[in-house]
């Protein structure tokens, strides 16, 4: 088997989903270029989850907010939450041991050796690993400077569903959390540290945000990690 980032992902996850929108031609092109650079070929474990923007998101958002069964600030947050919930629930119902979910605006660190090392040494007891997270919390800087591949962040909730994996227990938690209160997709991941789940982050930058216009908040996605970690990120080749 050819040694590649893509083959390493296939070797370590039961299922890999890329979430994308049907009308986002620019993002389709970008993520396909990225996948080709990491060694993509069709495989049963890999699937593009192509969703469509729903015309009544504002009505659904209002219904959740009024009912007290959920909370959204922007209408398209519902679309995003629905997509992540769909994939986590589908994976859990199929009895998968884990799932990797990636949004379509990710770039990958091109260092194959790093990927091999990091994936082969994922914590065996993980329930949640956020391969990408927002690092604008001062405690994160202290955490990732430890001489370890992964850090268990017991007391620090981190935002982002851009690239993450869940164990079967992690999937069950995500589903139960959203069934109880349906809200933004990364809220269960942020709150997971307040449960008995084992939540980890890698200490090395494995993925980063590409710069595309956000459908949720209608602004350009500037990766805040580029701002806070200029020295760490500048020598990495991203694909």
């Amino acid at each position: 088997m050819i040694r590649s980032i893509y083959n390493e992902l296939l070797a370590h996850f039961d299922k890999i989903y890329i979430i994308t929108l049907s009308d986002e031609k620019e993002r389709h092109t970008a993520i396909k270029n990225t996948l080709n650079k990491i060694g993509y070929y069709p495989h049963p474990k890999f699937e593009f989850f192509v969703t469509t923007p729903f015309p009544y998101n504002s009505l659904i958002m209002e219904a959740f907010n009024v009912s007290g069964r959920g909370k959204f600030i922007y209408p398209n947050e519902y679309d995003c939450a629905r997509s992540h919930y769909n994939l986590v629930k589908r994976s859990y119902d199929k009895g998968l041991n884990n799932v990797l979910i990636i949004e379509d605006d990710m770039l990958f660190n091109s260092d194959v050796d790093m990927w091999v090392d990091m994936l082969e040494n994922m914590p065996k007891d993980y329930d949640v690993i956020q391969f990408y997270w927002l690092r604008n919390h001062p405690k994160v800087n202290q955490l990732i400077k430890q001489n370890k591949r992964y850090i268990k962040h017991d007391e620090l909730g981190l935002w982002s569903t851009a690239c993450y994996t869940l164990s079967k227990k992690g999937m069950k938690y995500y589903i139960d959390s959203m069934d109880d209160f349906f809200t933004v997709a990364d809220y269960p991941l942020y709150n997971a540290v307040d449960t008995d789940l084992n939540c980890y982050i890698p200490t090395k930058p494995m993925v980063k945000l590409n710069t595309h216009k956000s459908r949720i908040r209608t602004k350009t996605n500037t990766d805040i990690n580029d701002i806070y970690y200029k020295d760490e990120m500048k020598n990495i080749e991203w694909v």
Side-chain angles (χ1 to χ4, degrees):
M1 181 177 292
I2 297 174
R3 195 165 173 270
S4 68
I5 295 171
Y6 183 70
N7 278 334
E8 287 301 314
L9 294 174
L10 292 176
H12 288 89
F13 299 103
D14 287 358
K15 189 72 177 183
I16 303 166
Y17 289 107
I18 298 279
I19 298 179
T20 189
L21 283 165
S22 60
D23 60 344
E24 285 284 4
K25 307 304 182 186
E26 180 184 352
R27 289 182 124 171
H28 293 172
T29 300
I31 191 61
K32 285 178 180 178
N33 286 340
T34 289
L35 290 171
N36 286 334
K37 290 176 182 177
I38 67 170
Y40 168 77
Y41 55 90
H43 192 281
K45 281 189 175 184
F46 182 92
E47 184 176 333
F48 282 100
F49 179 73
V50 182
T51 185
T52 57
F54 193 57
Y56 301 110
N57 284 338
S58 58
L59 293 177
I60 296 173
M61 178 187 76
E62 183 179 357
F64 270 114
N65 292 348
V66 170
S67 70
R69 295 301 305 274
K71 177 68 177 178
F72 298 98
I73 297 175
Y74 300 95
N76 285 341
E77 287 177 335
Y78 167 72
D79 254 349
C80 179
R82 181 188 62 172
S83 295
H84 283 272
Y85 179 88
N86 183 322
L87 296 181
V88 174
K89 183 72 162 61
R90 183 189 303 185
S91 300
Y92 183 79
D93 288 347
K94 287 182 177 180
L96 301 182
N97 291 314
N98 58 64
V99 61
L100 175 66
I101 298 176
I102 307 169
E103 295 179 349
D104 65 358
D105 53 355
M106 286 284 96
L107 293 174
F108 288 71
N109 187 327
S110 63
D111 187 343
V112 178
D113 289 336
M114 182 275 297
W115 278 95
V116 171
D117 179 64
M118 293 297 287
L119 293 180
E120 287 185 352
N121 290 283
M122 285 190 297
K124 296 187 184 304
D125 65 345
Y126 84 81
D127 296 305
V128 180
I129 300 178
Q130 286 168 279
F131 293 105
Y132 177 88
W133 69 96
L134 299 181
R135 298 185 180 182
N136 57 332
H137 194 294
K139 286 186 178 180
V140 176
N141 191 32
Q142 300 169 15
L143 287 175
I144 66 170
K145 288 186 176 180
Q146 298 183 43
N147 188 26
K148 298 179 181 179
R149 293 180 178 88
Y150 292 88
I151 298 298
K152 191 174 181 181
H153 55 107
D154 296 321
E155 300 178 358
L156 179 60
L158 299 172
W159 295 104
S160 184
T161 52
C163 184
Y164 66 100
T165 183
L166 300 175
S167 69
K168 187 176 292 186
K169 183 177 178 180
M171 291 183 235
K172 179 68 164 55
Y173 156 76
Y174 190 96
I175 295 162
D176 289 346
S177 175
M178 292 295 263
D179 284 348
D180 182 62
F181 191 78
F182 203 78
T183 186
V184 292
D186 48 0
Y187 191 71
L189 301 188
Y190 180 84
N191 281 334
V193 294
D194 295 328
T195 71
D196 65 345
L197 297 181
N198 296 314
C199 304
Y200 291 90
I201 54 173
T203 59
K204 297 179 181 179
M206 300 173 72
V207 292
K208 76 181 291 289
L209 192 67
N210 206 344
T211 52
H212 294 289
K213 189 175 181 181
S214 170
R215 289 292 289 265
I216 295 178
R217 298 176 180 87
T218 66
K219 296 178 181 178
T220 299
N221 284 354
T222 299
D223 194 337
I224 196 169
N225 293 349
D226 284 344
I227 299 172
Y228 283 90
Y229 289 82
K230 288 182 180 179
D231 292 338
E232 182 183 13
M233 308 287 270
K234 67 182 180 181
N235 294 321
I236 296 173
E237 180 183 353
W238 298 97
V239 295

